[in-house]
Amino acid sequence: MTSRRQVLCGLAMALVAPGAVLAACSTDSDSGGSPSDGAVKPGGVLAKVSDVPVGGGVLVDAGGRKLLLVQPTAGTVNAFDPACPHQGFTVSPPAGGTIVCPGHGSTFDAASGAVTKGPATSGLKQVPVKVSGGNVLAA
């Protein structure tokens, strides 16, 4: 039986250049058992802890996907998907403990990602990371 994914990928291949669609249509087994979303594998280095300012944060590339790394207190690093849940604008790194969306002005708590002012109605999605040996690693 043909899966929904196979049908959609087949349709996409018929409408778009094949090279642009092949990566999106791969499965876990196509890529040796690893996810095909471009995310850094668990244990992969995202940044040095020293590159993430205490009380601030930085946007990093995580295998083709952006992540916002924040260090609310020395040695504690959290990561968030930087896409604002309101309309997907990339939020700015925190200043003064607040993350701001440049699109419509939503604000989020820099430590937790919780929404503090709308129009967003939910917080930023947290992404698991860990600190080891001076590096921030994908968890």
Side-chain angles (χ1 to χ4, degrees), residues 30-49:
D30 294 337
S31 59
S34 62
S36 59
D37 63 1
V40 173
K41 293 180 183 178
V45 176
L46 299 170
K48 292 181 179 181
V49 174

Side-chain angles (χ1 to χ4, degrees), residues 8-116:
L8 291 174
C9 285
L11 177 61
M13 289 179 78
L15 297 174
V16 181
V21 179
L22 291 177
C25 293
S26 67
T27 64
D28 289 352
S29 61
D30 294 337
S31 59
S34 62
S36 59
D37 63 1
V40 173
K41 293 180 183 178
V45 176
L46 299 170
K48 292 181 179 181
V49 174
S50 60
D51 292 338
V52 183
V54 176
V58 295
L59 287 166
V60 298
D61 179 43
R65 171 184 175 200
K66 286 185 180 181
L67 286 181
L68 175 61
L69 300 179
V70 299
Q71 189 171 189
T73 59
T76 301
V77 178
N78 298 323
F80 302 103
D81 179 335
C84 179
H86 175 239
Q87 288 192 342
F89 286 92
T90 299
V91 298
S92 300
T98 301
I99 298 167
V100 178
C101 176
H104 296 102
S106 292
T107 61
F108 306 89
D109 177 75
S112 68
V115 66
T116 55

